[in-house]
């Protein structure tokens, strides 16, 4: 099966998708970008667990970003489900590593899969008929990329070391986004190990059996990627 990644759509804070948004279909991934702007209506949309997590955040900017990301996600999913945003019901699939109830997040009655990621002033959502993972990463400081690169696959560490210093943060962010997208898609999360699967530092992600991976352009100084199960691009 081939996969088509639709052009990234932007959903502004407080808005709902237009009525002409195409439905979820096999082989298609819908990507939505959510700018992190104030969303005064978002608190009323959250369920008890989301509200608890939001209120536990200490920094005001983190709370505002949480509201923008999760309010926007609820509006998107409500549109695809045909229900009010505050009526979307989430649950966790079983973890593929330990079978505990903390795998991929899912919605009841959806018939589709979704993934949410946010970093800095952006959030990215992917929606597909098969398991999907997305990740967006703000480019880190050079010192951070140099330090955390040691957790990558051995071949990626070698590729990173050969890169000119000025391009290392961007290359690291793109490689990291590929890995996070894939591990979110599988439901393993970081427990799946960043050093286990090779994604590469090159201009295109490496092939992973059973999955389709693609880089996504979102904004300057950000990297993003999407991974879709059961598809080959």
């Amino acid at each position: 099966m081939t996969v088509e990644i639709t052009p990234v759509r932007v959903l502004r804070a407080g808005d709902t998708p237009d009525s002409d948004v195409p439905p979820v279909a096999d082989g298609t991934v819908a990507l939505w970008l959510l700018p992190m702007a104030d969303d005064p209506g978002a608190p009323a949309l959250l369920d008890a667990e989301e509200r608890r997590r939001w209120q536990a955040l200490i920094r005001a900017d983190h709370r505002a970003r949480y509201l923008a990301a999760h309010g926007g996600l609820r509006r998107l999913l409500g549109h695809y489900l045909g229900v009010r945003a505050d009526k979307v019901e989430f649950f966790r699939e079983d973890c593929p590593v330990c079978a505990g109830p903390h795998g991929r997040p899912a919605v009841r009655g959806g018939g589709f899969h979704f993934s949410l990621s946010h970093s800095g002033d952006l959030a990215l959502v992917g929606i597909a008929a098969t398991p999907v993972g997305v990740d967006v990463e703000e480019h880190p400081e050079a010192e951070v990329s140099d330090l955390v690169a040691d957790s990558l696959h051995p071949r990626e560490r070698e590729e990173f070391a050969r890169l000119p210093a000025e391009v290392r943060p961007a290359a690291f962010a793109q490689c990291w986004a590929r890995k996070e997208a894939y591990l979110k898609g599988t439901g393993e999360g970081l427990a799946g190990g960043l050093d286990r699967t090779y994604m590469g530092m090159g201009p295109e992600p490496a092939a992973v059996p059973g999955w389709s991976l693609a880089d996504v352009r979102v904004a300057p100084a950000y990297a993003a990627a999407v991974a879709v199960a059961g598809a080959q691009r």
Side-chain angles (χ1 to χ4, degrees):
M1 179 175 68
T2 59
V3 60
E4 175 190 358
I5 299 172
T6 65
V8 179
R9 295 178 172 88
V10 178
L11 185 68
R12 303 292 177 185
D15 289 349
T16 54
D18 295 331
S19 58
D20 63 349
V21 172
V24 176
D26 287 344
T28 300
V29 182
L31 294 176
W32 293 86
L33 195 63
L34 312 178
M36 299 290 93
D38 288 341
D39 188 351
L45 306 180
L46 305 182
D47 62 22
E49 176 59 20
E50 289 169 314
R51 195 170 292 112
R52 182 192 67 78
R53 294 188 179 202
W54 164 53
Q55 293 174 338
L57 296 171
I58 297 173
R59 290 177 46 173
D61 59 336
H62 289 177
R63 291 197 298 273
R65 289 169 176 172
Y66 184 94
L67 285 179
H70 289 262
L73 175 66
R74 280 186 162 274
R75 290 186 176 97
L76 278 173
L77 297 180
H79 173 84
Y80 282 98
L81 290 167
V83 302
R84 282 174 23 193
D86 62 332
K87 297 300 183 182
V88 175
E89 294 186 38
F90 295 100
F91 70 97
R92 288 277 184 171
E93 298 177 351
D94 291 341
C95 172
V97 177
C98 68
H102 48 256
R104 284 188 303 262
V107 288
R108 299 196 184 280
F112 60 83
H113 301 262
F114 77 92
S115 179
L116 166 69
S117 174
H118 52 89
S119 178
D121 292 325
L122 294 177
L124 184 66
V125 176
I127 299 175
T130 57
V132 60
V134 299
D135 192 59
V136 59
E137 298 289 338
E138 192 171 14
H139 291 178
E141 298 293 333
E143 295 80 3
V144 174
S145 60
D146 288 347
L147 177 64
V148 185
D150 286 341
S151 64
L152 301 178
H153 187 278
R155 287 174 59 192
E156 292 161 349
R157 296 200 297 266
E158 294 173 1
E159 292 170 355
F160 181 82
R162 292 196 298 267
L163 291 172
E166 63 271 18
V167 303
R168 286 180 180 176
F172 169 84
Q174 192 63 71
C175 182
W176 188 277
R178 295 167 181 172
K179 287 180 176 290
E180 284 255 33
Y182 170 67
L183 292 171
K184 287 179 180 180
T186 65
E188 299 169 84
L190 295 182
L194 292 166
D195 61 346
R196 192 184 69 186
T197 304
Y198 173 76
M199 303 288 178
M201 292 271 174
E204 296 288 338
V208 178
W211 287 81
S212 177
L213 275 75
D215 297 336
V216 180
R217 291 188 179 183
V218 288
Y222 284 84
V226 57
V228 193
Q232 297 294 328
R233 297 182 73 238

